[in-house]
Amino acid sequence: MERHGLKWRAALLALAIGTATPALAQEPLQQRVEAKLAEAGPGLRFGIVVATEDGREILAINPDERFIPASNTKMFTTAAAFATLKGLDQPDAAGGASVRLDSEGRRVPDVVLKGHGDARLSSAPNCVSNCLAALADAVAARTKLVGDVVGDDSLFPDQRWSPGMSWNNIPSRYGTATSALTVDDNELSIRVLPGAVGQPPRIELLPYYEVDNRAVTVTSGATSLSYERMPQSDQVRLTGTIATGAEPHTLLLSVDDPAHFAAWRMKSLLEARGVKVTGKVNARHRPVSQIDDPKARNGAPPPRVPIPEPLAKLTPPPLRDDLTHINKVSQNLHAELMLRRVGHANGTGSIADGIAGVRDMLDQAKVPRTAWDLSDGSGMSTYNRLAPRSVVTFLRWVSAQPWGAGWRETLPIAGVDGTLTRRFKGTSLERRLFAKTGTLNATNALSGYMIGKSGQTLLFSAYANDVPEGVSATRTMDAALELIASEN
């Protein structure tokens, strides 16, 4: 009797196990994704929405909570440019820098270098396109004696940094100032080479900044160099170590007054061409106080005398090239300038005018105003907020626009290029995910399009905020997206 009872209970147990296993396999996808995200540990706040092209939501985790989007912001800036600016595939005739001679009754004319909002002007010795040297050639062909060299960035108001930019980012290339007159990405490089053991290393630097060289050359070890520069200061303190025999190391510094820096570079190019500069290097800005002055809209206030025609004006490559560059490599300065160009199309070129252009676009996309707040064009502002569901709504709207396919081509491709070159390598999403990344302090983001296992296109937006130090939120987010794609 006991033996039969044991067999009966064993049979029931086997039946229970047999029925439980399929039930476990049927656990909803959302629960499995939530379990995957929980593997990142405590402290993080995730938000993810995934939907089909026709708007059916497959998964929604904290869909309407607002997150710091970091460089996901660039999606909105570049899309607004596609929606607002004309002739994106034509040479950028409106954007190139120009140079003129300005006498105003003086015997010796000043050189005025004016910026028109393009981000790609170059003073590199090997420059082949959009070159500052071409403007210096035009001056040298006309005269060998000039007074001041003036950098004029008055096309846009003097708003070099957006609200919410962390001050500690300003000295780095990620926080360089924004200006209608920009050269060399408003970056200055320090090339550091080993010196004698126990002595400071050698440095190569254009003499725009002064360097307090406190670094030391050591016998061995990995190169570990850093610098400090307070905003609006021309003093750079270099610290750290570099070993004898080490490869030269390059550090990139930001420029706080791009118009002045461009004029300074112009002066050196003029002197190299035999032009004597008798005056100073100056910058001409448009005060922010003029933003609301109707006379100041679309440029500086009308001068008292007619402005002479430029000696020469550059025509940069098409803006589509720059929009691709912005999204592929997540270039902050170029994104900020693109926002101002959007703002200049229907206003003063201020940050507020650029955000107004983005707002008009999001209104058309029927994105709720409560789902977003943006304070810049790059995502460096900690004031920015986006809700994942609103981003998916935006992505669906973009797909339906005549320029939507072109805009999507600007996004990084998983495992192939841009900021996704190393992500999703060897996974089912390699070459099948097209998305904008985002990284800021304690923040990670990824939004765009991916092709599921069935071949259908999925729209997604994923955010991680409040990421603890030492935790990889991107690895967890990527694994969650792979899981979702594998079942759709």
Side-chain angles (χ1 to χ4, degrees):
M1 186 71 175
E2 181 65 21
R3 183 177 298 173
H4 289 297
L6 289 173
K7 288 182 178 179
W8 180 75
R9 283 195 293 269
L12 285 177
L13 179 61
L15 179 62
I17 293 174
T19 56
T21 301
L24 183 62
Q26 295 301 317
E27 185 179 51
L29 175 62
Q30 174 134 344
Q31 291 183 21
R32 283 179 284 139
V33 171
E34 289 173 345
K36 177 63 68 177
L37 298 178
E39 293 176 5
L44 289 81
R45 186 167 62 93
F46 284 107
I48 301 180
V49 170
V50 181
T52 59
E53 288 184 293
D54 61 7
R56 179 176 61 88
E57 283 192 356
I58 293 171
L59 177 141
I61 297 172
N62 298 324
D64 298 314
E65 287 192 24
R66 290 151 52 101
F67 294 82
I68 297 174
S71 286
N72 263 205
T73 304
K74 294 182 176 74
M75 294 192 303
F76 298 87
T77 302
T78 53
F82 270 88
T84 303
L85 304 180
K86 308 300 182 184
L88 296 182
D89 292 314
Q90 303 301 316
D92 184 20
S98 62
V99 67
R100 71 175 190 269
L101 295 177
D102 194 350
S103 297
E104 292 190 6
R106 294 183 298 273
R107 294 178 58 187
V108 179
D110 292 339
V111 175
V112 179
L113 176 65
K114 185 171 179 62
H116 298 272
D118 180 65
R120 296 164 289 175
L121 181 63
S122 172
S123 71
N126 60 349
C127 177
V128 296
S129 174
N130 208 28
C131 305
L132 185 62
L135 300 181
D137 289 340
V139 175
R142 180 66 64 90
T143 181
K144 297 298 181 182
L145 182 67
V146 299
D148 293 346
V149 180
V150 182
D152 184 343
D153 68 356
S154 61
L155 182 71
F156 303 151
D158 188 14
Q159 296 175 303
R160 299 180 211 176
W161 297 280
S162 300
M165 163 79 79
S166 296
W167 72 268
N168 56 301
N169 284 318
I170 290 175
S172 76
R173 61 182 301 203
Y174 302 106
T176 191
T178 303
S179 165
L181 178 56
T182 287
V183 64
D184 301 334
D185 286 340
N186 297 340
E187 297 173 3
L188 198 63
S189 65
I190 300 180
R191 193 165 183 259
V192 185
L193 304 93
V197 174
Q199 297 298 313
R202 294 175 291 131
I203 60 172
E204 296 175 356
L205 171 71
L206 289 173
Y208 190 71
Y209 287 142
E210 295 181 9
V211 179
D212 178 9
N213 189 354
R214 301 191 182 190
V216 179
T217 306
V218 295
T219 55
S220 62
T223 298
S224 177
L225 295 167
S226 61
Y227 64 86
E228 295 178 357
R229 185 182 67 81
M230 294 298 292
Q232 305 288 4
S233 170
D234 60 2
Q235 303 292 319
V236 179
R237 177 179 294 179
L238 179 68
T239 58
T241 59
I242 185 170
T244 57
E247 293 293 321
H249 187 79
T250 300
L251 299 168
L252 294 174
L253 313 179
S254 70
V255 172
D256 292 344
D257 190 341
H260 183 273
F261 177 64
W264 183 83
R265 290 294 292 132
M266 184 67 166
K267 177 176 181 289
S268 65
L269 293 177
L270 290 173
E271 291 173 337
R273 286 158 174 75
V275 177
K276 183 177 181 180
V277 179
T278 61
K280 300 177 180 179
V281 171
N282 292 318
R284 184 176 297 163
H285 307 300
R286 176 149 58 109
V288 176
S289 60
Q290 293 180 359
I291 290 178
D292 296 324
D293 181 356
K295 296 180 181 179
R297 298 186 75 81
N298 294 314
R304 287 172 294 181
V305 295
I307 297 177
E309 289 294 317
L311 291 178
K313 187 177 187 301
L314 300 176
T315 301
L319 269 182
R320 183 185 292 269
D321 296 353
D322 199 29
L323 290 163
T324 300
H325 182 66
I326 289 169
N327 280 339
K328 290 287 188 183
V329 305
S330 206
Q331 221 292 343
N332 292 331
L333 170 64
H334 291 220
E336 292 297 338
L337 277 167
M338 199 63 67
L339 181 74
R340 285 153 177 78
R341 290 191 70 163
V342 168
H344 190 256
N346 295 299
T348 67
S350 68
I351 296 170
D353 286 338
I355 298 298
V358 173
R359 183 188 61 231
D360 291 344
M361 176 186 69
L362 293 179
D363 286 346
Q364 293 179 48
K366 295 184 173 14
V367 174
R369 183 62 189 87
T370 54
W372 66 274
D373 274 300
L374 296 174
S375 294
D376 73 357
S378 65
M380 289 297 288
S381 174
T382 57
Y383 294 172
N384 294 337
R385 295 294 185 275
L386 287 170
R389 180 171 281 152
S390 71
V391 178
V392 170
T393 299
F394 158 76
L395 292 170
R396 186 179 307 109
W397 178 81
V398 168
S399 296
Q401 303 311 303
W403 46 265
W407 177 82
R408 176 170 159 170
E409 290 175 357
T410 70
L411 299 176
I413 303 172
V416 175
D417 63 11
T419 52
L420 286 178
T421 301
R422 294 182 177 86
R423 289 174 68 175
F424 299 99
K425 274 282 190 184
T427 74
S428 62
L429 286 176
E430 183 176 351
R431 296 181 178 272
R432 293 167 67 88
L433 182 143
F434 318 88
K436 184 69 197 76
T437 55
T439 303
L440 200 62
N441 183 46
T443 295
N444 294 109
L446 188 67
S447 298
Y449 309 87
M450 62 182 177
I451 301 173
K453 184 178 180 180
S454 68
Q456 70 173 325
T457 297
L458 304 175
L459 292 66
F460 72 92
S461 181
Y463 294 107
N465 277 191
D466 306 322
V467 181
E469 184 176 358
V471 173
S472 176
T474 56
R475 189 181 303 120
T476 303
M477 288 166 54
D478 292 357
L481 292 171
E482 291 171 38
L483 174 60
I484 296 165
S486 69
E487 298 192 14
N488 289 277

